[in-house]
Amino acid sequence: IRATASLLAKNGYDIAAINYRFCSGEINRQLITYHSGRTEDLHTLIKVLLPDYKALYLVGFSLGGNLVLKYNGDGIFSLSPKIAASVAISVPVDLYGSAIKLQERQNILYTWRFIRTLSKKIYLKHKQYPNEVDVTLLKKVKKLIDFDEYYTSKLNGFIDARDYYKKSSSKPFLPQIKKPTLLINAQDDPFLSSSCFPRQEAQNNPNFHLMCPSYG
């Protein structure tokens, strides 16, 4: 993100980078946390910026890319005509497929470190909301799917992990994208399942473009 911001700044663009709730080094005050489909936070930032600019371009990486794609296609918010184009990079457009992919042996170290980081955040959230956040469930968390099952989904109003993945994945909304949008997913990305390469959607929607380089 910083490298992209630096490159764009050198070419005359102003940059606004958004931190997810609870990811800025400071715990957010509400019970709800960030998740990969929370487009309302992105929309709020855009509304703040719009009066000062003639055009906005959206760029997102990984889960941020999923937010950008979903925001463009899910129809929850009316997109400003000032939003000129979007780019998304290394995006798990199918969250369930990616969650299964993360269970592979090559991703064990990443998964272990990520769960460790997320667990620390749950302890902090428990201090804020001791009656709503049950830290004893962390004993059951062995995979990221487990964390989403017991925490991400429950804290954000979903039934379970599968419900969260279904409603938050950007892939179902790609056919509805109406502004120029580019997705770049490398074929050797260890976090992306085969379902995260939406070739058919790109063929059918002239506004949605997919690049799949061999190497990331």
Side-chain angles (χ1 to χ4, degrees), residues 108-123:
I108 288 177
L109 180 59
Y110 171 83
T111 299
W112 176 78
R113 291 187 65 183
F114 195 28
I115 289 176
R116 186 178 179 184
T117 299
L118 293 171
S119 297
K120 291 179 180 178
K121 292 184 176 183
I122 288 300
Y123 278 110

Side-chain angles (χ1 to χ4, degrees), residues 56-98:
L56 269 70
Y57 299 85
L58 308 182
V59 180
F61 291 85
S62 192
L63 293 187
N66 188 74
L67 275 178
V68 166
L69 295 175
K70 184 174 181 291
Y71 181 70
N72 269 276
D74 65 9
I76 295 176
F77 301 101
S78 178
L79 270 63
S80 168
K82 290 185 178 182
I83 297 176
S86 299
V87 179
I89 302 100
S90 301
V91 182
V93 296
D94 174 22
L95 294 172
Y96 178 70
S98 180

Side-chain angles (χ1 to χ4, degrees), residues 1 4 29 39 41 48 56 62-63 74 80 84 92-93 97 143 148 154 159 171 173-174 188 197 203:
I1 292 170
T4 301
R29 293 189 293 270
T39 51
D41 289 351
V48 171
L56 269 70
S62 192
L63 293 187
D74 65 9
S80 168
V93 296
K143 305 182 292 291
D148 290 335
K154 300 301 187 294
I159 298 172
K171 188 173 184 179
F173 306 108
L174 299 179
D188 67 341
F197 297 87
Q203 290 179 7

Side-chain angles (χ1 to χ4, degrees), residues 2 10 18 22 31 34 36 40 50 66 89 91 98 118 128 141 144 177 187 189 194 205 210 212:
R2 289 179 175 175
K10 291 176 182 177
I18 183 172
F22 212 169
L31 176 62
Y34 82 90
S36 55
E40 57 263 43
L50 278 177
N66 188 74
I89 302 100
V91 182
S98 180
L118 293 171
Q128 284 182 310
V141 176
L144 287 176
I177 290 178
Q187 296 178 48
D189 191 317
S194 59
N205 185 349
L210 175 66
C212 299

